[in-house]
Amino acid sequence: MTIAILAVQGAFAEHGAMLDRLGAAHFEIRQKADLARPFDGLILPGGESTVMNKLLRDLELFAPLKERLDGGLPVFGTCAGLILLADRVEGGERCFGGMDMAARRNAYGRQLGSFRTDAPFAGRMVPMVFIRAPYITQAGPEVEILAETGGHIVAARQGNRLATAFHPELTEDTTVHAYFLKMAGMGEPAI
Ligand code: GLN
């Protein structure tokens, strides 16, 4: 099983390190030609969602990747990646969408730009690192809420799409990546 990591901008390298720890093969998607390699799941990393959205279109990655996602390819978006998967974006543009939810960009404001906390993800305590993070302000009935902290939804899943407002790849905890790998067909079925 192989996971592709979108690597046009942002914090993609840490995802690779996390997948190494879990024994999952991976490679980076930087240009259209990279899409020729087979992959069973996709990670959309943190970074700047507006820049990623533009680069995806400029590099002609948007349409083929959207087709794969709409066709059921498992995808995991962290932080900016969550924004790329939201059907509604407060303070930004919709990108791939597919999750019936609203994401508010830079939701924590300047004061709380970066912080770390611990909260349950799918019932298991995990460390969460937030960096100029969004949170989910509204979620439709098809969206399964996987984590909340400070009264806000910070992780959710809808079908083949998983999104976290925080960066699990910047911690030592492999829980969220392991959950995604199960979604993508590695190991036991996802909890
Ligand atoms: N603030 C960024 C955005 O709106 C997300 C930050 C991140 O990915 N760490 O796209």
Side-chain angles (χ1 to χ4, degrees):
M1 199 190 67
T2 304
I3 302 296
I5 303 171
L6 183 69
V8 295
Q9 193 263 339
F12 46 84
E14 294 84 354
H15 282 288
M18 202 51 129
L19 295 176
D20 283 339
R21 289 180 56 191
L22 290 165
H26 57 88
F27 70 95
E28 293 174 356
I29 293 183
R30 296 173 178 274
Q31 55 188 347
K32 207 175 171 186
D34 297 327
L35 298 176
R37 281 178 76 168
F39 53 101
D40 311 290
L42 174 70
I43 290 181
L44 304 172
E48 214 38 60
S49 54
T50 46
V51 177
M52 261 193 262
N53 196 359
K54 183 177 186 312
L55 286 173
L56 279 164
R57 292 165 205 270
D58 291 353
L59 296 166
E60 294 178 36
L61 291 168
F62 175 76
L65 283 178
K66 183 166 178 358
E67 198 178 310
R68 296 286 303 265
L69 300 191
D70 291 346
L73 180 80
V75 58
F76 172 25
T78 59
C79 201
L82 174 150
I83 296 167
L84 302 184
L85 294 174
D87 277 347
R88 294 171 292 287
V89 180
E90 298 176 21
E93 298 287 311
R94 177 191 158 123
C95 182
F96 294 120
M99 293 183 75
D100 178 15
M101 62 187 197
R104 181 174 300 167
R105 290 186 66 214
N106 303 318
Y108 294 93
R110 279 167 169 264
Q111 260 99 41
L112 215 55
S114 296
F115 64 99
R116 192 184 165 110
T117 189
D118 293 277
F121 169 90
R124 183 162 164 179
M125 225 40 192
V126 300
M128 299 178 178
V129 172
F130 293 83
I131 304 170
R132 290 176 294 107
Y135 55 65
I136 297 164
T137 51
Q138 179 272 331
E142 302 287 298
V143 177
E144 182 187 357
I145 293 163
L146 293 171
E148 286 178 87
T149 185
H152 302 296
I153 305 167
V154 294
R157 174 182 180 179
Q158 181 174 350
N160 60 314
R161 289 159 163 91
L162 172 69
T164 65
F166 54 93
H167 290 266
E169 78 284 5
L170 299 182
T171 73
E172 292 298 305
D173 192 295
T174 55
T175 302
V176 183
H177 286 77
Y179 180 97
F180 175 60
L181 290 180
K182 286 176 187 169
M183 276 175 62
M186 184 167 153
E188 300 297 308
I191 356 170

